[in-house]
Amino acid sequence: MTLDAGTSGGRAAIFDGMGRQAAVAAAAWDYERPADAAPWGRAFDAGRFWNILAGLARQALAQANVPARQVAAVSVTAQRGGMVILDRAGAALYAGPIQDLRGVYQAAALEETCGERLAAISGHGPALIFAPARLQWFREQQPDLFSRFATLLTISDWLIFCLSGARCTEPSAAADTQLFDIRQGAWSAELMSTLALPAALFPPVHVTGAVVGAVSPAAAAQLGLAAATPVVMGGADTQMGLLGMGMTAPGEVGILAGWSMPVQQVTAAALDARRRLWVGPHALPGLWVLEGNAGPAGRAYAWLAEVMCGRPDFAGLEEMAASVDPGAGGVLAFLGPQPMNAAEMGLAWGGLLMPLGADFIEVRREHLARACLENIAFAARANLELVTELSQAPVVQVAVGGGLTRSRVWTQMLADVLGRPLRVSALPDASSRGAAISAAVGAGLYPDLATAAAAMTRDDVSVTPARVALAEYLDLYERWQRAREQLDALGQRID
């Protein structure tokens, strides 16, 4: 079984030992806007989210018709950048996603005093979206609560705690706190000292695939599992996504096209990302990833569906996009995803550009739908180019997973835009399958993560570029790039 606490909702799934999904149950959730952290603060009720996941676990077991005793292990994955802070008794004093920007002013101060060291040690920036700024906010704004902080957990770590009571972490998730030394594979003593944070706040580190505990009787009753079922360390959704797409060797690239769209190349060393991209540990020990995160891809597509259709009618949008030719009638979209620049993350200008006729506009909804999908594909290519420019390593293979792979139009478009064959995950929920791979190793079904990933992703398929579209997209991508640069310059003048 896998539990996935994503950005937009939770998911529980059952897999067999070959990586086939026997059942999945999912539910959407949203975040609170605490009055004392207005206007940028976000939080969630940890108890409510856990109850949602517990209910989904029971649903998945019922769908699969699997007796609890047949579940060999359970593992987890979750959105990155969020955290749950516990007191000594295990109560959640704070739970927040990466969207919690309550520490905006504290982040500015941190960038001024130690931004370079934060990025150099953790491989991540800017401080605005990570743990140090939020911790400083609590120290300044709620000192009494801050004094009760006992353990900082990432959201995937918190799921492990809810299952077993174990307080621990693993490198791929810990790196997204901005307090983890990615090259040492440990919490940074330097950053603890600089930020005056107690070492006791940070839990022990385990590798992905390690058994770290057992399902407690209380959790077993909630989820419908057998007590003492092994609990296996999973990790961050992006690195679990790489596992779930079978990307386990240097040079391989995974594009996880979900709510956001990280483009990650597996590397043999922790590279210097020059504060433009992110660097973090891979789930496999001794490997790293260089990441260009394009930002809200699926979120932008969902927004367009809601605006144009009044509801998330993705099938309708897909049909519209398929009905027009590459180039979308001249329409260029700049909605959501874009080339990453971690040194300048923040609000960006965007929208739709379209050719205007002398008397009327010939642009229809179909053109807008295709332009939005093309924008996502162009942003994927732009970030892949940034990643390979910095890595100086050839691309061995490109795989894609995530919710957008449900769109056959988009997966073909992505192959055409990239100009190379794509390995498409047989399951859009690549992160959940990555967590299942971890669980399979913890259960002893496979000797290591690489072996398990190879065996449990054999049903992936390949999509090759179409010759005609490939030629067209060479020019269309360059046109999009030029317009993107001009829009960025315009945005700077407007600001």
Side-chain angles (χ1 to χ4, degrees):
M1 174 182 282
T2 65
L3 300 180
D4 181 354
T7 302
S8 59
R11 181 180 291 107
I14 306 292
F15 292 83
D16 68 12
M18 294 305 295
R20 294 171 297 213
Q21 193 177 76
V24 60
W29 53 37
D30 51 22
Y31 302 104
E32 301 167 359
R33 297 171 180 254
D36 58 0
W40 301 294
R42 300 291 184 271
F44 62 89
D45 182 323
R48 182 172 70 89
F49 273 29
W50 175 248
N51 287 336
I52 290 172
L53 287 167
L56 295 173
R58 293 192 299 272
Q59 289 179 39
L61 285 168
Q63 286 178 27
N65 195 26
V66 171
R69 66 181 181 279
Q70 288 187 10
V71 177
V74 57
S75 190
V76 303
T77 187
Q79 57 177 281
R80 299 179 298 168
M83 60 182 183
V84 179
I85 301 179
L86 308 178
D87 66 10
R88 291 180 181 176
L93 300 178
Y94 162 77
I98 194 171
Q99 296 95 325
D100 183 9
L101 304 182
R102 69 182 67 204
V104 60
Y105 299 116
Q106 289 77 13
L110 288 171
E111 284 291 342
E112 187 72 23
T113 58
C114 57
E116 290 289 340
R117 290 303 293 159
L118 282 169
I121 292 171
S122 71
H124 290 69
L128 174 64
I129 57 176
F130 297 110
R134 271 178 272 175
L135 290 171
Q136 187 62 23
W137 184 92
F138 279 108
R139 192 201 304 270
E140 295 174 7
Q141 301 297 321
Q142 297 184 1
D144 291 341
L145 185 66
F146 181 81
S147 69
R148 296 169 55 202
F149 285 179
T151 308
L152 184 153
L153 300 175
T154 70
I155 295 178
S156 56
D157 302 337
W158 167 69
L159 295 180
I160 294 286
F161 173 77
C162 291
L163 285 164
S164 66
R167 304 189 192 204
C168 54
T169 192
E170 58 78 47
S172 73
D176 283 276
T177 64
Q178 209 185 28
L179 292 165
F180 192 78
D181 189 323
I182 60 170
R183 292 167 181 82
Q184 296 298 319
W187 295 107
S188 170
E190 177 184 335
L191 294 180
M192 288 183 207
S193 175
T194 299
L195 302 173
L197 295 172
L201 188 62
F202 303 98
V205 180
H206 297 280
V207 297
T208 302
V211 176
V212 293
V215 174
S216 69
Q222 289 177 293
L223 279 72
L225 291 170
T229 300
V231 175
V232 179
M233 183 59 77
D237 56 1
T238 46
Q239 277 86 337
M240 291 300 97
L242 285 175
L243 268 188
M245 292 183 281
M247 299 294 95
T248 59
E252 295 181 334
V253 173
I255 301 173
L256 195 60
W259 206 241
S260 62
M261 187 170 62
V263 178
Q264 297 183 305
Q265 185 176 34
V266 183
T267 63
L271 304 175
D272 178 7
R274 304 175 195 170
R275 294 204 70 181
R276 171 146 197 160
L277 305 179
W278 287 339
V279 183
H282 193 288
L284 273 67
L287 292 178
W288 283 262
V289 292
L290 182 62
E291 175 181 348
N293 196 308
R299 175 68 188 96
Y301 197 49
W303 175 85
L304 189 70
E306 292 162 5
V307 169
M308 293 209 311
C309 307
R311 58 192 175 89
D313 181 10
F314 299 114
L317 219 58
E318 173 92 347
E319 186 176 346
M320 292 181 204
S323 69
V324 296
D325 294 330
V331 178
L332 290 172
F334 302 97
L335 300 170
Q338 59 184 313
M340 184 180 186
N341 187 348
E344 298 180 5
M345 292 179 73
L347 293 176
W349 287 88
L352 295 160
L353 292 177
M354 58 192 71
L356 303 180
D359 300 313
F360 58 90
I361 302 173
E362 295 186 351
V363 171
R364 304 186 306 275
R365 293 194 303 166
E366 293 86 345
H367 296 109
L368 303 185
R370 188 170 190 98
C372 182
L373 288 179
E374 288 181 343
N375 178 67
I376 297 170
F378 292 153
R381 175 171 170 175
N383 280 280
L384 178 57
E385 290 175 350
L386 287 171
V387 166
T388 54
E389 178 186 341
L390 280 176
S391 73
Q392 293 294 298
V395 174
V396 175
Q397 182 179 198
V398 178
V400 61
L404 277 166
T405 59
R406 293 185 177 94
S407 169
R408 293 185 179 182
V409 171
W410 185 76
T411 52
Q412 181 63 59
M413 181 187 297
L414 182 62
D416 298 339
V417 168
L418 296 182
R420 63 170 61 243
L422 283 181
R423 175 176 174 172
V424 181
S425 176
L427 287 175
D429 303 332
S431 296
S432 289
R433 186 160 67 171
I437 289 167
S438 303
V441 172
L445 302 181
Y446 297 97
D448 54 57
L449 293 171
T451 304
M456 295 174 71
T457 61
R458 288 176 180 168
D459 54 353
D460 290 352
V461 298
S462 180
V463 175
T464 58
R467 288 186 179 180
V468 174
L470 172 61
E472 289 186 85
Y473 276 124
L474 286 173
D475 292 333
L476 291 170
Y477 173 68
E478 291 179 2
R479 179 169 171 258
W480 177 87
Q481 279 279 50
R482 292 193 300 272
R484 171 83 265 169
E485 292 168 1
Q486 293 298 316
L487 184 60
D488 288 343
L490 175 62
Q492 291 175 6
R493 291 198 295 272
I494 294 173
D495 291 340

